[in-house]
Amino acid sequence: DAGVTQSPTHLIKTRGQQVTLRCSPKSGHDTVSWYQQALGQGPQFIFQYYEEEERQRGNFPDRFSGHQFPNYSSELNVNALLLGDSALYLCASSSYTRQGTSGNTIYFGEGSWLTVV
Amino acid sequence: QKEVEQDPGPLSVPEGAIVSLNCTYSNSAFQYFMWYRQYSRKGPELLMYTYSSGNKEDGRFTAQVDKSSKYISLFIRDSQPSDSATYLCATGMNTGFQKLVFGTGTRLLVSP
């Protein structure tokens, strides 16, 4: 059973460029969330997708956008990159119908390391 | 004030010690609690999930939640050098779509 998979694992971009990160959720999961983890900090919630719609959003600017596809996979796009966007970007998957139950678990991928120079 | 407070450490212990990791949270609406282990430059790995006050045990790990004092703990018995990692506590509300609120993580070093 494949877990949460993310690509690419590492990438370097220049200020002002755009980046797209990809995520495939764990089998059986239909909800995908994205988190940003700066060095030495805990992950910060960016947004969450379910049924191809953004359902919740954290305190991130509109430069951060996303998409969910019919097969539940997701993309995170960041435009006009800033040096401060350098971080580990984590994808988390869960099951909407298991929320509020003992089976409610949220699994993370290994992340995509983004360096902006 | 952060919603979830966690001592960043590092916490250094000898092999075999009992480790206690702790977090406090401010929002009484938080209803479920998770502990993740994160090795350097890797994604967080789910260790424990609890949905109510009390204790939950899994092997060498015990998670404890005290909702009255808004305090959550993770105990590791017979700690091993392989337990050296950053431990993240996370919590969330069980309303609508869920998002996790994390502490900053505590770095644990277990020496042989």
Side-chain angles (χ1 to χ4, degrees), chain B residues 14-55:
Chain B
E15 183 176 358
I18 296 174
V19 175
S20 173
L21 302 166
N22 309 294
C23 289
T24 58
Y25 62 95
S26 58
N27 191 338
S28 59
F30 288 145
Q31 293 176 293
Y32 59 90
F33 308 89
M34 297 178 179
W35 283 95
Y36 287 86
R37 177 173 64 194
Q38 187 173 30
Y39 291 111
S40 181
R41 304 186 70 82
K42 295 290 187 180
E45 171 194 6
L46 180 63
L47 280 178
M48 301 287 286
Y49 165 70
T50 54
Y51 193 66
S52 60
S53 284
N55 293 353

Side-chain angles (χ1 to χ4, degrees), chain A residues 10 35 37 40-43 45 48 50 55-56 88 90 96 99-102 104-110 113, chain B residues 2 32 34 36 38 40-46 49 51 88 94 96-105:
Chain A
H10 297 82
Y35 291 77
Q37 186 177 23
Q41 301 296 317
F45 176 78
Q48 182 178 72
Y50 171 70
R55 300 293 181 164
Q56 246 193 131
L88 177 65
L90 295 162
Y96 175 71
Q99 291 181 128
T101 72
S102 60
N104 175 36
T105 50
I106 302 173
Y107 293 96
F108 284 82
E110 293 290 359
W113 283 96
Chain B
K2 290 185 178 181
Y32 59 90
M34 297 178 179
Y36 287 86
Q38 187 173 30
S40 181
R41 304 186 70 82
K42 295 290 187 180
E45 171 194 6
L46 180 63
Y49 165 70
Y51 193 66
L88 296 157
N94 194 32
F97 290 92
Q98 298 171 339
K99 69 175 186 181
L100 292 176
V101 180
F102 281 87
T104 55

Side-chain angles (χ1 to χ4, degrees), chain A residues 84-103:
Chain A
D85 294 332
S86 296
L88 177 65
Y89 288 85
L90 295 162
C91 173
S93 79
S94 58
S95 169
Y96 175 71
T97 56
R98 288 192 170 185
Q99 291 181 128
T101 72
S102 60

Side-chain angles (χ1 to χ4, degrees), chain A residues 5-19:
Chain A
T5 58
Q6 292 188 242
S7 63
T9 54
H10 297 82
L11 68 168
I12 300 174
K13 291 286 187 177
T14 304
R15 277 179 299 175
Q17 284 189 316
Q18 179 262 348
V19 68

Side-chain angles (χ1 to χ4, degrees), chain B residues 62-98:
Chain B
T62 299
Q64 191 174 80
V65 176
D66 183 348
K67 288 187 175 181
S68 63
S69 58
K70 301 188 184 67
Y71 197 82
I72 55 179
S73 301
L74 178 71
F75 299 96
I76 307 175
R77 292 183 298 280
D78 187 25
S79 57
Q80 302 295 310
S82 59
D83 294 328
S84 298
T86 295
Y87 289 80
L88 296 157
C89 63
T91 182
M93 289 181 276
N94 194 32
T95 55
F97 290 92
Q98 298 171 339

Side-chain angles (χ1 to χ4, degrees), chain A residues 5-11 20-24 34 74 91 111-112:
Chain A
T5 58
Q6 292 188 242
S7 63
T9 54
H10 297 82
L11 68 168
T20 297
L21 309 177
R22 295 175 178 83
C23 170
S24 292
W34 287 91
S74 177
C91 173
S112 294

